[in-house]
Amino acid sequence: MTSARSSLAALADLALPLTCASCHGPGSAVCPECLAAVRSVVWPYPRPVRPSPCPDRLPRVWAAAAFEGPLAGVVAAYKDDGRRDLAPLLAGLMAGAVDGAVRGAPELRRALAAGNGPVLVVPVPSSASARRRRGDFPLARLATLACDGFGPGEVVTADALRLRRRVADQAGLGARERQVNLEHAMQVRERWWPVVARASCLLVDDVLTTGATLVEAARALRAGGARTVVAATMCATSRRGGAPGRLPADSR
């Protein structure tokens, strides 16, 4: 698997006349100063992460970087500003997190060793309105790119979840508000029922904040019969304690 750090070099191949996704200076997708700042928050190896406080039923989560500084701007630009040129950078971070989860979760290792795969890499769902506004499903694209290093029978991307009702914008909501907003909001898509039943699932999202999104997505997969559910995110906030502070918007 390509490491998250080495994949940052893919940005050097982007020769289009762009502005920096973080500081908006001219000349490159991410300027040298901002790229150095991004590198500084990427961990040498993906690591298990948990928010504090940690919600009940949160699956184990692996992440590749801290959600700090210019990386936050890069994530937002890719997701909401149409900067799909940033996919090589962010797919590298996602690949590192996915690889860390597959290597770190004994259930996934056993499933692959026994030939009980493929592991389903399931992006948390976006609303229909968000997909229309963005013109695509940017998280699913990163998930697909992150799986390129695995064999076809080992790991596959599965757009298996949907939102079954409207949810409020998560930006600015505290941990408890996010939990209430998302409670029983997701379900397995009908055509995916036979695939998810008894499957080993790896949820993916861009940022771990309070954990509410992953809790609900994991609940929906378990309700659909999934045998195992763990999770991976590109990055994780350093939020601590009970004060909500300013939380990043999630993928919905």
Side-chain angles (χ1 to χ4, degrees), residues 176-213:
R176 177 58 183 164
E177 293 169 317
R178 287 186 173 211
Q179 181 181 349
V180 171
N181 184 42
L182 290 170
E183 191 169 12
H184 285 82
M186 301 180 193
Q187 63 183 186
V188 175
R189 297 179 188 274
E190 185 173 354
R191 68 186 181 90
W192 283 98
W193 288 351
V195 181
V196 169
R198 305 298 297 164
S200 298
C201 296
L202 174 57
L203 278 167
V204 293
D205 202 357
D206 49 7
V207 185
L208 174 66
T209 53
T210 67
T213 300

Side-chain angles (χ1 to χ4, degrees), residues 56-79:
D56 295 337
R57 306 284 290 174
L58 180 72
R60 283 171 297 160
V61 187
W62 278 259
F67 187 73
E68 297 176 5
L71 180 56
V74 171
V75 171
Y78 171 77
K79 185 171 66 175

